[in-house]
Amino acid sequence: MRITVFLSSNPVPDRYRRAAEHLGRFIGEAGHTVVWGGTDLGLMKVLVDAVEEAGGKSEGISVGFLEQYTRPGSVMAIAQNLADRKERLLAGTDAVVVVAGGTGTLDEATDAIELRRHGMMSAPLIFLSTDGFYRPLQELLDRMHREDFLNVPLADVATFVETPEEVMAALHATPTSGVAEELMAMEPEPS
C-alpha cells in the first residue's frame, strides 16, 4: 500500500514525535511504502526513520527551494512548485494520513478534503489527532456541514482518530464508502 503522509518538518513536542514514530513503525512493519514531503527534519525525519527501520519503503517528493533539506540516499523527486508537489504526493496513493503540522500540512490536508468532497480521490483520508490536535478542525468541518457550507457529511470525507493504532485500523477498513465515492460514480447530466 502506498500511504501519503502529510506532517511537519519542524521540531515539535515529544508527544507528536512519539506518535509519528509509532505510526512509521506500524507502516514499515506492514510492508507499506510511505510517500512524504522529502524533508529530513522534524516529524518527517522521525516518521521515515521509523518506516525504514521497520522494513518499509519511502518515496520523498520535495520542491526546489527545500532541496537542501532532502533525505540523503532516499528515493526522491523534486517538484516544480508547491502545487506540483501536492499533486504528486496524492497521485496514485492508496491512503492519505495527516499528522500534526503547520500551515503547509493544513494546506495539503484541505486539498485532500476538497478532492474527496468532489469525488476526485477515493483514497481514504485519515487525520491522526494526537492530543486532540485536529479536534478544532473536525469541529469546524462538522459546523460547515450543519450550516450547509459542506455538502457532504464529514464522515464521508475524512476520518479523525487519536492513535497510530486507530490509523492502521482505519487504513485496513473498507476504503470506499460514502457520498464522495457515490459522486465519483455518477454520470454527468446532459445539458
Side-chain angles (χ1 to χ4, degrees):
M1 181 181 283
R2 292 182 82 245
I3 303 168
T4 297
V5 180
F6 297 137
L7 69 170
S8 179
S9 61
N10 291 322
V12 296
D14 282 344
R15 63 186 174 273
Y16 303 113
R17 291 176 58 80
R18 283 190 304 272
E21 181 180 3
H22 289 144
L23 178 62
R25 189 175 68 244
F26 292 147
I27 290 171
E29 287 172 352
H32 299 311
T33 297
V34 68
V35 182
W36 55 292
T39 300
D40 199 33
L41 300 169
L43 291 184
M44 288 189 189
K45 177 175 176 35
V46 170
L47 176 87
V48 176
D49 283 349
V51 168
E52 291 178 351
E53 287 170 12
K57 295 179 182 174
S58 69
E59 296 176 14
I61 302 173
S62 190
V63 67
F65 68 90
L66 296 175
E67 192 169 357
Q68 65 195 11
Y69 303 110
T70 58
R71 187 177 182 87
S74 286
V75 173
M76 189 70 56
I78 304 299
Q80 296 176 17
N81 53 48
L82 290 172
D84 180 40
R85 180 186 187 197
K86 284 188 290 187
E87 188 174 318
R88 290 181 184 206
L89 284 164
L90 294 172
T93 193
D94 295 307
V96 177
V97 178
V98 184
V99 179
T103 55
T105 303
L106 185 59
D107 174 54
E108 293 162 337
T110 55
D111 260 20
I113 288 169
E114 279 298 283
L115 290 170
R116 291 269 305 155
R117 187 173 78 85
H118 290 291
M120 299 170 73
M121 182 178 81
S122 62
L125 173 59
I126 304 159
F127 285 80
L128 174 54
S129 187
T130 303
D131 197 27
F133 188 84
Y134 284 113
R135 196 169 300 128
L137 177 62
Q138 183 178 8
E139 291 168 359
L140 177 61
L141 293 168
D142 279 330
R143 180 176 179 176
M144 287 177 179
H145 177 64
R146 284 192 319 274
E147 296 186 12
D148 296 324
F149 292 99
L150 184 63
N151 65 341
V152 296
L154 180 57
D156 288 339
V157 176
T159 301
F160 288 79
V161 299
E162 304 262 333
T163 67
E165 292 85 357
E166 291 173 302
V167 169
M168 298 308 289
L171 286 173
H172 294 103
T174 305
T176 55
S177 63
V179 173
E181 284 70 27
E182 290 172 18
L183 288 170
M184 286 175 55
M186 290 174 57
E187 294 291 324
E189 292 184 21
S191 44

